[in-house]
Structure formats: structure tokens, C-alpha cells
Amino acid sequence: MAQARPGDAPPIHDLVGIGFGPSNVAMAIALSEHNARAGRQDAVTAQFFEVQPRFGWHRGMLIDDATMQVSFLKDLVTLRNPASEFSFLCYLKSRGRLVDFINHKSLFPLRVEFHDYLEWAAAQVDDMVCYGHEVVGVTPVLSDGVVEHLDVTVRSGEGLALHRARNLVIGTGLRPLMPEGVERTEHVWHTSELLTRVEGMAGAAPSRFIVVGAGQSAAENVAYLHRRFPGAEVCAVFTRYGYSPADDSGFANRIFDPEAVDEFFTAPEDVKRGLMDYHRNTNYSVVDIDLIDDLYRQMYQEKVLGTERLRFLNVSRLTEVKEDPGAGVRATVRSLVTGEETPLDADAVVFATGYRPADPLGLLGEVADRCLRDEEGRVRVGRDYRIGTEPGVRCGIYVQGGTEHTHGITSSLLSNTAVRVGEILDSLLGRSPGSGSGAARTVADGTGRTAR
Ligand code: FDA
């Protein structure tokens, strides 16, 4: 790959992608399928940058028995191109497990298996990605007062390099969220680092873990730590009365459909808020019913046998957590009913307190000042996932993620990835100089669907 030091003329790409998680892997596949079909002059050149040294999707949570929360048919390609060679079914075939998977009669692969699929797919488009490269900044390149290109600064083991882009696609994913004032330490973890931290405990004989939260990750942590450390007590702390099941029934599941994005996008603000509230329980702070049943069964069995080491401190809040040098942590749990405080010493506290989307404008520097925001200060994004910009910005800045306020609940999920990247590609092609008056027909303020 051509590299330019600051000061040199940088290589120009039609598209630079930031991050190479599932969203931008799907983008790279859509581009490679387009380029295979298109003539040489219509090919789209692209370069993706990924800070991790190799492909990895939530590695800290690849618990061996955890399954996907989405059908394998919502893989990186199928909803866009059911005949794609990058599908989960083609992956299964290449691994020699197609028939075994069919006999398994499940739509929901193991998470480790889906990770292997993603890695397999990413490997086939790895000519488009540089691993171990972090994008650290973006600056506008002006020509006659118009921002025609963006210069992307990338840091790697070899230092800084510049790449010039006609378009950007930001797919930087989610960031772990800790409660305010709580710092991660050797004994205070976020769920995203679970397996790495547990590996680091090899040979230890922990006596207690505390898991904070009542969502899917929290419940998975409780079940995993209980199974992995047969001598340890596991205390689940949450403000709810009990775990609530995820609604994955047919009608509710339609909120993840591609058409639901169209409807959400055009709906009035109050309807958008209503839809998010009604269907929050398809994704947020909920747990797969099978896992809830397993945990309840386990808790009851221990009660019967008098071997209780699975404790549920419900309607409670963890109010304090202090490092106890050499020993672990001292935590305090307060009952929200009685106000009673229970001190708990533990080897580790795991916060399963969720994630927040990375700020899409965070990397854009002064370009961010040219991006439009709505009345609530949220970034304006067009139906084609292009950030609304001032008229003097000709290059396209697309976002995958961080669009829940405009495109709905699928924004940070896998369900709509295949379709979304097709829509971004269509928009890119529609706006490219080689496609006639595409650029002129684009709705430039990011408030409407690209007219094609
Ligand atoms: P993702 O976060 O996966 O990737 C972003 C990438 O960008 C990362 O690899 C990161 O290193 C890189 N990056 C960030 N900043 C960078 C920079 N400045 N320079 C270079 N690289 C940078 N959803 C679903 O639909 N079904 C499911 O079953 C699950 N399961 C699931 C399990 C767990 C444990 C979690 C935490 C989340 C899920 N999800 C999910 C939701 C999840 O957000 C989704 O699966 C994808 O990770 C979204 O893919 P992205 O590529 O958008 O982000």
C-alpha cells in the first residue's frame, strides 16, 4: 500500500473506511462485489484502517456457549445479495459443516462460530485493510473554497501517514460504558474484557464475583463465572426485580426489518421516540429466555441442595467499590427497598453496564464544524447514512452506527448491515463524478433520501 508521510502528496482513495468491524467488512465486500462486476473505470478504490492487530469482534465476550441474537441469514451479505459468496452458508460449506448445521435446526449460531465466519469473510477482502493502523485525525482539503477531499491521518508502528479520501465511511462501533466515577482496574472490569481478565486469573481460586447489570451480557457473565469457578460465589446486583426476557416474537422482530428503517426515518420525532420506547425490550436490558430459565433452575437446585453460591441481590444498587490492596475489592450494595447496606468483599466486580456509540464526529476535527446538527444538537444524517454538511463540502462522510435517532434501533446492530452497506454504496456511486449528474442530484443537507 502506498504510504505518504505528512508533507508528501498522499494517495487518493474514493473511499477511506475507519474501523474494520462487521459493518466495514460488509462495506468492503459490497465494494469488492461491485468492482468485480464493474468495468475498470467504474471500480471504487477503497482503503480501510483498523486499530486492532488482526480482525476481532468482541473477543472478550466469546463465551464458548453463547449464541447470536440474530439469525444467521442476517449475515454480512444475504439480505443485499442472497447469491453472494460471502454468506454464512458459504462459510459453513467451506468449513465442511453445512449439513451438520442444518441438522442442528437453529437460526442462531454460536458466537464463536459467527466470529469465525466474520474472520473468514474479512480475510477474503484483506487487500483493502491495514490492521494495526489507528485513524487519529481528519482534516479538510480545500479547492476554490470547497472541501473536495479529506486528509486522514493514520498512526501505526511505522509512525504517521496521510491518506486522501473523496469519501469517508466511519464504522468505529461501540465503547464500553462504566458508571460515572468508576475506573477500570485489575479487579474492576467491564464485561467487554471478561475472558481476557479471567485468563489472567489462571491458577487463582477466587471466592466471590459481583456482576452489576440485568441485561444479556450481565446474565452471561453470571452463568459463565459460576460455571468456570466452581468454588466461587457469584452475586448478581441489579435494580430490577428480576431479569426480563428479550422480545423476539415475529411481529416485534419486524422493527429490525430494512423497511422499518424507511418508516422510522420519515416518522415524526414523537413517533420515533415512541417506537424506541415500545421496542426497547427487543434489545436493551433484556435476556434470552433460555438463559433466564437456566439461571433460575440453577439457583433453585442450589437452594434444594443447600449449596447456594448463586445470589441475586435484586432491587439493589452497588453504591461503593474500593480496591483492597492485594485482596480484591470491597463493595457496598444498598437495598432500594429498605436502604440496608451490605458490605461484600470480592475478587472482582464486573460492570455489565452497556456501551455507547463512538462519537462519529470525534475524529473529524474542524470538519465536524461543517457538519449539520438538529435542534437537539444531534448530528444530521441522510437516509443514505451520509452526514449532512454545509454546501461547501463536496466529499461524503458516511456513518455506520450512531444513527439510532435517525434510522432506529438497528443502528448499532448486525440486522441491517448487509442492506445498509448496499445503500451507502448506491449513494457513493450516485454522487461520483463518473456517474453523470449524481452529485448535483444529492440532497446535500442530509435531511432526505438521496434522489436517484
Ligand atoms: P464494531 O465495534 O464491531 O467494530 C468497530 C471497529 O472499529 C473495531 O474493530 C475497532 O477496533 C475499530 N476502530 C475504532 N476506532 C478506530 C480508529 N480510530 N481507527 C481504526 N479503527 C478503529 N448485534 C447483533 O445484531 N446481534 C448479536 O448477536 C450481537 N451480539 C453482540 C454481542 C456482544 C458481546 C456485543 C458487545 C455486541 C453485540 N452486538 C450484536 C452489537 C454489536 O454492536 C454489533 O454486533 C457489531 O459489533 C457492530 O459492528 P461495527 O463494525 O459497527 O462495530
Side-chain angles (χ1 to χ4, degrees):
M1 181 198 58
Q3 295 255 9
R5 309 283 139 209
D8 294 351
I12 302 183
H13 311 282
D14 292 328
L15 181 69
V16 164
I18 311 179
F20 208 56
S23 298
N24 270 346
V25 173
M27 188 77 238
I29 292 171
L31 288 168
S32 84
E33 290 183 344
H34 164 79
N35 288 349
R37 275 190 316 267
R40 217 188 154 141
Q41 81 235 33
D42 293 325
V44 178
T45 61
Q47 181 64 57
F48 292 82
F49 297 101
E50 167 57 52
V51 63
Q52 298 185 80
R54 62 196 165 115
F55 180 83
W57 176 68
H58 304 305
R59 280 185 186 273
M61 280 294 284
L62 293 181
I63 297 171
D64 53 7
D65 64 349
T67 55
M68 295 299 293
Q69 260 87 53
V70 71
S71 159
F72 74 87
L73 292 168
K74 292 186 175 174
D75 59 17
L76 298 173
V77 289
T78 299
L79 284 184
R80 177 180 58 78
N81 173 15
S84 171
E85 288 174 9
F86 294 85
S87 68
F88 186 75
L89 290 179
C90 288
Y91 153 80
L92 285 174
K93 174 89 179 142
S94 81
R95 291 284 192 259
R97 285 201 308 270
L98 183 54
V99 171
D100 295 332
F101 184 83
I102 293 170
N103 289 334
H104 186 40
K105 291 190 200 151
S106 174
L107 289 173
F108 305 101
L110 287 169
R111 199 178 288 150
V112 280
E113 184 175 32
F114 207 75
H115 185 278
D116 192 44
Y117 157 65
L118 294 172
E119 211 168 10
W120 168 88
Q124 294 181 69
V125 284
D126 65 1
D127 55 322
M128 285 194 222
V129 62
C130 291
Y131 289 105
H133 283 63
E134 181 185 12
V135 172
V136 292
V138 175
T139 45
V141 182
L142 283 104
S143 162
D144 296 331
V146 171
V147 182
E148 291 279 3
H149 296 101
L150 297 168
D151 273 352
V152 179
T153 308
V154 184
R155 182 169 51 208
S156 70
E158 292 150 37
L160 293 179
L162 268 190
H163 287 260
R164 190 157 287 178
R166 293 192 179 89
N167 296 280
L168 268 190
V169 59
I170 305 174
T172 46
L174 300 169
R175 300 282 179 274
L177 191 62
M178 295 290 280
E180 220 178 298
V182 179
E183 293 293 325
R184 290 204 237 170
T185 69
E186 195 191 335
H187 304 286
V188 178
W189 311 340
H190 184 266
T191 171
S192 55
E193 52 187 340
L194 175 73
L195 295 188
T196 329
R197 288 293 186 179
V198 165
E199 249 171 55
M201 292 184 94
S207 55
R208 181 182 288 137
F209 290 97
I210 300 171
V211 178
V212 181
Q216 179 70 24
S217 292
E220 286 180 10
N221 271 261
V222 170
Y224 172 74
L225 291 168
H226 182 270
R227 173 163 56 93
R228 172 76 177 69
F229 297 102
E233 180 179 271
V234 181
C235 301
V237 178
F238 45 78
T239 53
R240 286 175 176 248
Y241 207 82
Y243 294 120
S244 298
D247 181 355
D248 66 348
S249 57
F251 288 110
N253 214 48
R254 293 169 80 185
I255 197 74
F256 300 108
D257 289 358
E259 290 72 29
V261 178
D262 283 327
E263 285 171 300
F264 191 93
F265 188 82
T266 49
E269 248 340 282
D270 58 326
V271 175
K272 282 190 167 94
R273 264 193 289 274
L275 286 173
M276 286 302 292
D277 287 348
Y278 289 138
H279 297 292
R280 188 155 281 280
N281 68 344
T282 54
N283 186 53
Y284 290 110
S285 305
V286 287
V287 183
D288 279 353
I289 188 70
D290 292 350
L291 181 52
I292 295 179
D293 289 345
D294 285 349
L295 285 172
Y296 194 87
R297 201 175 299 118
Q298 185 67 42
M299 180 196 74
Y300 186 72
Q301 184 187 331
E302 289 180 0
K303 248 189 183 149
V304 171
L305 300 177
T307 56
E308 281 168 78
R309 60 183 190 90
L310 201 48
R311 286 173 65 190
F312 293 91
L313 305 167
N314 63 346
V315 206
S316 297
R317 198 184 289 285
L318 192 109
T319 52
E320 197 172 35
V321 52
K322 275 200 217 138
E323 284 279 315
D324 185 2
V329 283
R330 316 210 88 177
T332 307
V333 176
R334 180 190 295 145
S335 160
L336 299 181
V337 177
T338 62
E340 187 189 342
E341 299 210 319
T342 309
L344 281 179
D345 290 347
D347 294 85
V349 177
V350 193
F351 283 90
T353 39
Y355 297 79
R356 64 177 166 77
D359 174 8
L361 301 190
L363 284 169
L364 294 183
E366 57 186 283
V367 182
D369 299 336
R370 297 167 183 262
C371 295
L372 305 181
R373 292 178 182 271
D374 66 14
E375 313 70 50
E376 293 181 37
R378 302 168 304 185
V379 60
R380 292 181 85 153
V381 186
R383 177 61 186 85
D384 57 354
Y385 300 94
R386 184 177 173 226
I387 292 182
T389 48
E390 290 173 355
V393 180
R394 199 161 291 160
C395 48
I397 305 169
Y398 294 87
V399 273
Q400 301 216 60
T403 58
E404 214 167 65
H405 60 296
T406 47
H407 293 69
I409 201 161
T410 53
S411 164
S412 62
L413 302 176
L414 298 171
S415 345
N416 201 39
T417 304
V419 174
R420 181 174 62 223
V421 297
E423 291 171 340
I424 293 176
L425 179 58
D426 282 351
S427 172
L428 270 175
L429 295 173
R431 296 180 56 254
S432 71
S435 64
S437 56
R441 283 182 285 128
T442 300
V443 177
D445 69 359
T447 54
R449 187 166 198 156
T450 303
R452 264 174 285 112

